[in-house]
Amino acid sequence: MKTELVRRMTPEEEELAAKREVLARLEAQLADQELLLASLKAELAAFEGLYLRRVGVLYAELDEWNARLAELRAKQAGTPEAKAEAAEARIQAEEAYSAAHGEAAEVQPFTPSPELKKLYREAAKRVHPDTATDEKDRARRERLMKEVNAAYAVGDEDALRRILTGLDTSPDAVQGSGIGADLIRVLRQLKQIRDRIAAIKLEMANLSETDLVQLKAKAEQAATEGRDLLEEMAASVQVRVIVVRHEFEKKATSEATR
Amino acid sequence: MSESEKQTALVPTQPNALTKPGAKSLVARGHIELRNNEEAEAWLNKGLDLYNGGGIDETNAEVRKKRYEDAFACFERGIQLNPNHPEIQNMFGVMYAYGQGAAHDRTQAVSWYHKAAEQGYAEAQFNLGMMYYKGYGVDRDKTQAVSWLCMAGEKGHAKAQFNLGVIYANGYGVPQDKNQTEYWYSKAAEQGVTEVPISELEVKTRRMMKAYLEFPIETRHLAARKTIQDY
């Protein structure tokens, strides 16, 4: 029987090993949290897009007719107040239009496949900035993390795979010089990760108080009751659009026959 | 957006490439209006409960007066939250028309009915139509009356349908039209509105006699059973 000589670890080596275990667990937890946050943001962006296309554009129309009406009034009255109101109404209409027809309105429904989520978790774990060991490493990782998040938001599995394969060929964590330095580095990583996890929780809590999240929740609640909340909201804005448009057209024709 | 969506989107007269991210403000706008409307609905319901509380059997005039005033106050809270709420606008019309919780003011009533009617609210379109028909708070205009009653009738308003039947049967402000008469009477009948119930007749005797007298002689025998249904 062969016996192997096992060297007993020093207390520092033991602590380092223990901390490395914690680090591994926390890195996984961090990746989970990042996935949750990225998913939440993507779902919200998708709902926002839907809202803008169905309700936002109608607000833009309403503002447009209000602006035309105000401009007509300004032309007829000629007072500085009327002109100022018309100018304000015009600005409002332009802002509403660009908001309702901008990039945010183009976002399509977000349906991540299990594969996409798996790739994201893997990539997030590998490139997360808070596992960086020095400033240069952190900067590089931040760039990569941005790419990872962007790829996830648009459901680009290939991009995530490319990032992962790209990582395999580049040097991994910097080699330390001695147990003490390793330990310090691991402790720093642990702190960074814990801070980031707390920040994620805070960000998700803040998000839950936004109009968008609350509106989405109401829409989902209405759906369980068989109602289409966005449709209802659109209908009520549409009614007002018709009223203001009618008022404008009446005024415009009476102006034309003067 | 799809191409068809882009084509129908209303383009401002001076398109401006602003980069300010206003999407958030459009979302906030919708959410705030939604919340305000929910609150307005709550005030509407509270006001309606007060308004309908004792019914016409409420004998104590003081109690009834107080209830109407409280209901009016509820509607005022509601309209502040949603200035465009058609049901609340209509209730203001009703209360001004009848002098409930507010002074009798038929002109104001018409104004409020109009706000709700132009938004497509059938009950207000019916009320406005009747105001035009009777010349209450507005110059009598049977053409306008028929126009508004038709809008209400098309939406399924039973009383509007019935009254249109009477109007076309007797040629009030429109040429007599047997087809229209049948059309509207049958629509009203689908909803169970065929004639004024006797007990209501007794209550509305005075108005009933006046309406009876307005009818041309040859149709009075019909008028006894079919009369313009009041609101």
Side-chain angles (χ1 to χ4, degrees), chain B residues 50-144:
Chain B
L50 285 163
Y51 184 84
N52 296 319
I56 54 169
D57 300 322
E58 174 66 67
T59 45
N60 189 328
E62 277 303 309
V63 173
R64 198 167 56 234
K65 183 162 177 277
K66 176 77 173 54
R67 220 166 2 93
Y68 285 147
E69 282 167 5
D70 290 343
F72 193 88
C74 286
F75 296 141
E76 278 184 321
R77 295 289 298 270
I79 206 76
Q80 267 167 28
L81 287 158
N82 182 359
N84 297 304
H85 200 296
E87 267 190 79
I88 302 181
Q89 290 169 334
N90 182 64
M91 283 314 295
F92 275 122
V94 171
M95 297 188 97
Y96 276 116
Y98 283 101
Q100 294 164 333
H104 246 112
D105 188 339
R106 282 178 176 161
T107 317
Q108 272 261 46
V110 166
S111 165
W112 280 107
Y113 283 149
H114 193 264
K115 287 182 186 165
E118 66 179 353
Q119 290 194 72
Y121 185 50
E123 182 69 18
Q125 289 170 333
F126 168 74
N127 289 336
L128 186 60
M130 292 313 294
M131 295 302 259
Y132 271 110
Y133 186 84
K134 298 186 179 181
Y136 282 173
V138 71
D139 289 339
R140 190 193 287 250
D141 186 337
K142 296 235 163 109
T143 316
Q144 275 263 43

Side-chain angles (χ1 to χ4, degrees), chain A residues 95 188 207:
Chain A
E95 286 181 4
R188 191 186 307 139
L207 272 176

Side-chain angles (χ1 to χ4, degrees), chain A residues 16 21 25 34 38 59-60 76 86 88 90 110 130 138 156 158 187-188 214 231 249:
Chain A
L16 184 61
E21 264 178 47
R25 252 197 353 262
E34 292 286 4
Y59 275 123
Q76 288 176 353
E88 247 187 74
R90 176 48 57 193
F110 180 68
D130 290 311
R138 168 174 274 277
D156 193 345
D158 290 330
L187 288 174
R188 191 186 307 139
Q214 290 181 40
E231 189 53 48
E249 283 167 351

Side-chain angles (χ1 to χ4, degrees), chain B:
Chain B
M1 288 201 298
S2 70
E3 267 311 307
S4 60
E5 281 172 1
K6 279 190 183 136
Q7 274 161 23
T8 55
L10 194 66
V11 179
T13 51
Q14 295 140 30
N16 192 339
L18 289 171
T19 51
K20 199 155 73 164
K24 202 166 133 187
S25 71
L26 281 181
V27 171
R29 200 165 157 188
H31 188 225
I32 289 167
E33 282 187 21
L34 186 67
R35 274 204 328 252
N36 284 342
N37 191 50
E38 283 167 1
E39 249 192 277
E41 291 263 318
W43 281 113
L44 169 68
N45 289 328
K46 197 156 170 229
L48 286 174
D49 282 342
L50 285 163
Y51 184 84
N52 296 319
I56 54 169
D57 300 322
E58 174 66 67
T59 45
N60 189 328
E62 277 303 309
V63 173
R64 198 167 56 234
K65 183 162 177 277
K66 176 77 173 54
R67 220 166 2 93
Y68 285 147
E69 282 167 5
D70 290 343
F72 193 88
C74 286
F75 296 141
E76 278 184 321
R77 295 289 298 270
I79 206 76
Q80 267 167 28
L81 287 158
N82 182 359
N84 297 304
H85 200 296
E87 267 190 79
I88 302 181
Q89 290 169 334
N90 182 64
M91 283 314 295
F92 275 122
V94 171
M95 297 188 97
Y96 276 116
Y98 283 101
Q100 294 164 333
H104 246 112
D105 188 339
R106 282 178 176 161
T107 317
Q108 272 261 46
V110 166
S111 165
W112 280 107
Y113 283 149
H114 193 264
K115 287 182 186 165
E118 66 179 353
Q119 290 194 72
Y121 185 50
E123 182 69 18
Q125 289 170 333
F126 168 74
N127 289 336
L128 186 60
M130 292 313 294
M131 295 302 259
Y132 271 110
Y133 186 84
K134 298 186 179 181
Y136 282 173
V138 71
D139 289 339
R140 190 193 287 250
D141 186 337
K142 296 235 163 109
T143 316
Q144 275 263 43
V146 169
S147 169
W148 285 110
L149 288 173
C150 272
M151 283 190 230
E154 291 297 344
K155 294 212 171 77
H157 195 281
K159 280 187 183 171
Q161 291 164 344
F162 184 82
N163 286 1
L164 281 165
V166 176
I167 286 170
Y168 278 109
N170 293 286
Y172 292 144
V174 291
Q176 272 178 309
D177 188 329
K178 206 154 170 242
N179 289 332
Q180 287 286 318
T181 305
E182 276 173 32
Y183 174 74
W184 288 116
Y185 274 151
S186 65
K187 292 231 84 126
E190 276 169 32
Q191 300 192 64
V193 177
T194 52
E195 60 190 45
V196 180
I198 297 298
S199 58
E200 269 191 53
L201 258 181
E202 285 168 353
V203 168
K204 295 177 183 177
T205 306
R206 202 158 13 126
R207 251 184 285 166
M208 173 58 191
M209 291 308 296
K210 187 162 184 276
Y212 180 84
L213 289 168
E214 275 177 15
F215 284 41
I217 305 236
E218 55 278 10
T219 55
R220 273 191 201 167
H221 65 286
L222 288 171
R225 307 224 73 202
K226 288 183 177 198
T227 189
I228 297 285
Q229 291 222 12
D230 255 324
Y231 49 95

Side-chain angles (χ1 to χ4, degrees), chain A residues 15-81:
Chain A
E15 203 193 339
L16 184 61
K19 288 287 187 271
R20 282 216 169 113
E21 264 178 47
V22 175
L23 184 64
R25 252 197 353 262
L26 280 183
E27 276 174 345
Q29 193 184 335
L30 177 62
D32 287 336
Q33 291 295 312
E34 292 286 4
L35 176 62
L36 273 177
L37 181 63
S39 303
L40 180 61
K41 282 180 169 172
E43 280 163 22
L44 287 178
F47 180 74
E48 188 180 58
L50 191 62
Y51 170 86
L52 289 173
R53 291 193 297 275
R54 296 186 55 195
V55 184
V57 296
L58 292 172
Y59 275 123
E61 257 197 77
L62 182 63
D63 288 348
E64 175 59 32
W65 288 113
N66 274 323
R68 291 190 190 183
L69 192 56
E71 283 161 351
L72 194 54
R73 288 196 185 118
K75 204 170 92 172
Q76 288 176 353
T79 63
E81 295 86 32

Side-chain angles (χ1 to χ4, degrees), chain A residues 4 14 39 48 86 88 92 108 126 128 130 133 158 203 205 209 227 232 237 239-241:
Chain A
E4 289 180 358
E14 273 182 17
S39 303
E48 188 180 58
E88 247 187 74
Q92 164 99 357
Q108 293 303 318
R126 299 277 301 276
H128 205 288
D130 290 311
T133 48
D158 290 330
E203 197 177 340
E209 304 197 345
R227 287 165 45 214
E232 289 171 12
V237 182
V239 163
R240 282 147 62 198
V241 167

